[in-house]
Each structure stands twice: as structure tokens, then as C-alpha cells.
Amino acid sequence: GCDHAPEVIKISGSKMGTSYHVTIVADQPAPADLAEQIDQVLSVVDQSMSTYKAQSELSQFNRLPISEQVQASDQLWAVLQTSEKVWRESSGAFDPTVGPVVDLWGFGPVVTEDKIPEDQAIAAALANSGFEYLLLNSSDQAISKQKAIALDLSAVAKGYAVDQVADLLEMLALPDYLVE
């Protein structure tokens, strides 16, 4: 047989309010629909955790009235469990309930003026934050809130999405890759 150099496959696109790039060094032929498979994996995460999509699972939860409970998808549940662990281990330094603060500063999906927010506005946004007000009911994978919090999982959802793409590539026996 003839020796051949591995194929370098580059796939990119847009999801979750940003762009992604996947580079794979394949010693074997990759599936013809690999780009579509990657896009589908990312679409599932995006539809679950995007703050940019009004109908995402996360956006729907953020609009949910206080004390009303909803069942979380497996994807959202996994990210919430990771978020809770990091929140606890960081003594609250990591807090994904700061969605209103993120929006106030113009780093989220809400378009704002390019100016520093007033102290009163920051204090009001912080008053409706605190991961301790998010209730995770592990018996039925349900979530609810005790205060008008709004989650922004951008700090962990993108990492989760990278893990999901990595899992797909490993399953397809394509172990040499970079996902960004």
C-alpha cells in the first residue's frame, strides 16, 4: 500500500452569538456530512442555552415566574450542575445569575449605549442575582427560582459545546482535533 499524509479538515461556522472553528487531522476518511453533524451538535446546545435566542430553553426559564418549576433538558441540567459546583468551590465568585449585569454593561444580547452604567443601575441588577436563588431539584431534573434571577451560562455553555463536539469526533474515531 501507499503511504499518504493525513488530511487536515477545517470546519467553521457561527453559533451561540460567536464563531467556531474545528480543525481535524484525519488518518482516515471523515464522514461526508461531518460539518452538518458538528453544526447539529452545536445547534442543540445553542437552542438550550443561548441568551441570544428568545425561544431557547434558557431564555424561557429566564422569563419564568418566581416559584414556577420547569424540567431541564439533559444538556441544560449538566451545565447547571457544573455551574453549581464551580459557584460553590469559588465561594460565589463565579455566578451565572448575573445575566442582568452582563446586559447592563452591554456584553449580552441586550443592545445598550456605549457608556458606563450608573451605580444605582448596577446595584439594582445585582439585587436580582445570586445562584442560591436557583433551585435544582435532582429527583425530577426540575429548576425554579426564588427571586427574579436571569441566568447567563455563556461562561460554561461554550465549554460544554466544545466537549460535545469533542465527544462526536472521538465517537467517529477522529481523535486528533482542535475545537475552538
Side-chain angles (χ1 to χ4, degrees):
C2 298
D3 290 329
H4 67 281
E7 177 185 9
V8 177
I9 303 166
K10 294 187 178 211
I11 299 169
S12 60
S14 297
K15 287 284 183 242
M16 302 175 77
T18 190
S19 60
Y20 68 88
H21 305 277
V22 180
T23 303
I24 305 155
V25 178
D27 288 329
Q28 64 182 28
D33 67 342
L34 181 58
E36 290 82 16
Q37 288 186 51
I38 290 170
D39 191 71
Q40 178 58 34
V41 165
L42 294 172
S43 290
V44 169
V45 177
D46 195 23
Q47 188 54 43
S48 177
M49 293 172 243
S50 176
T51 57
Y52 290 84
K53 294 181 181 291
Q55 292 307 312
S56 75
E57 183 179 12
L58 183 67
S59 293
Q60 290 179 43
F61 173 76
N62 284 342
R63 291 190 302 271
L64 198 67
I66 296 170
S67 298
E68 193 168 316
Q69 183 172 276
V70 65
Q71 189 168 8
S73 67
D74 291 342
Q75 295 84 11
L76 181 58
W77 186 255
V79 170
L80 288 173
Q81 287 184 308
T82 298
S83 296
E84 181 180 36
K85 180 180 180 197
V86 175
W87 171 73
R88 287 189 191 287
E89 290 178 1
S90 71
S91 300
F94 171 77
D95 189 346
T97 67
V98 296
V101 179
V102 170
D103 290 342
L104 186 64
W105 281 90
F107 294 116
V110 175
V111 178
T112 61
E113 294 181 32
D114 193 16
K115 66 177 189 171
I116 297 173
E118 298 289 328
D119 289 344
Q120 299 86 347
I122 295 170
L126 286 171
N128 280 323
S129 66
F131 200 85
E132 65 271 20
Y133 300 111
L134 177 66
L135 302 177
L136 304 176
N137 183 344
S138 58
S139 65
D140 59 358
Q141 204 166 293
I143 56 176
S144 61
K145 50 189 163 183
Q146 295 177 310
K147 201 173 193 180
I149 58 171
L151 295 168
D152 184 329
L153 298 172
S154 298
V156 287
K158 290 175 179 75
Y160 176 81
V162 167
D163 289 346
Q164 296 303 298
V165 172
D167 288 348
L168 170 68
L169 296 174
E170 295 284 339
M171 184 186 74
L172 295 171
L174 297 167
D176 300 317
Y177 54 82
L178 173 66
V179 180
E180 177 262 324

